Amino acid sequence: MTADLDFYATVATRGEILGRGIGSGPAAWEAALGPDHLDDPGEGTLRRDHGLVELTFSTAHAPGARSCSCQGISVQVHRLAHGAPTASLVPAALVREYGEFAPRVRFEELRSAILSLGCTVEPEDLSADIHRYRVPESGARVFVIDDPDPYGDGHHDTDDPETAQAGDVWALSVAPAWWGASP
């Protein structure tokens, strides 16, 4: 298993990144991922964008939530496929821990890695251009591209290694069941 695949499999099976997960506060996440992020405050929420990793914090009281605690973890894998330098999208702490990240991740490789860690992968919604799978042991969801050219405009180059392809992982999401499952 490649180091970056190990990262994705860890998120999918444990629901955490560098020991932080649902319920961790902003300071704990910043200690793990570093200070380079964009904060987008909303009504009762704070979205923190670290490039590859996005976090959602609840600033209001929700079922089981503590004041300003992480309520959603999203790994935006598709961002790596656009040719941006890894250093601009992947927090330095993740590069130190896992090495360089490939521009794309194939779902079948991630599924194999998840299975090798003793978890299962179940289809949840296969009706749209992005298919959704669930890892029941962690509650994580894996979003996989089914149709890379959903509008049929023909501008999709299937030979371009930096362009998302059918079977690529679009994103991973970890959230309590009451929070939702969107990437």
Side-chain angles (χ1 to χ4, degrees):
M1 181 173 357
T2 62
D4 60 340
L5 189 58
D6 184 42
F7 166 73
Y8 300 122
T10 298
V11 172
T13 59
R14 295 186 192 155
E16 64 181 36
I17 297 172
L18 300 176
R20 303 327 188 262
I22 299 298
S24 298
W29 279 101
E30 188 167 325
L33 295 177
D36 295 332
H37 56 74
L38 171 70
D39 281 345
D40 181 18
E43 191 171 320
T45 63
L46 169 67
R47 184 182 65 87
R48 180 164 283 177
D49 188 341
H50 284 272
L52 176 64
V53 176
E54 284 189 11
L55 307 164
T56 303
F57 298 93
S58 171
T59 57
H61 295 292
R66 295 188 312 268
S67 180
C68 208
S69 62
C70 181
Q71 298 300 311
I73 302 167
S74 183
V75 180
Q76 300 293 329
V77 181
H78 63 95
R79 291 180 177 174
L80 298 175
H82 300 293
T86 298
S88 69
L89 292 173
V90 180
L94 293 179
V95 174
R96 283 192 301 275
E97 181 73 20
Y98 294 100
E100 289 298 314
F101 281 66
R104 294 176 29 229
V105 177
R106 300 297 294 168
F107 175 62
E108 287 307 320
E109 291 176 5
L110 179 56
R111 182 198 315 248
S112 292
I114 292 168
L115 295 174
S116 76
L117 293 172
C119 292
T120 56
V121 179
E122 298 175 349
E124 191 172 67
D125 182 359
L126 305 180
S127 65
D129 298 329
I130 301 284
H131 289 179
R132 186 173 68 222
Y133 296 84
R134 185 172 180 270
V135 179
E137 294 84 357
S138 69
R141 288 176 171 81
V142 181
F143 296 84
V144 180
I145 298 169
D146 180 57
D147 184 354
D149 188 16
Y151 303 110
D153 61 13
H155 295 291
H156 185 77
D157 184 355
T158 57
D159 295 323
D160 184 351
E162 292 183 354
T163 300
Q165 305 294 329
D168 283 352
V169 174
W170 180 261
L172 289 94
S173 177
V174 179
W178 60 265
W179 188 261
S182 298

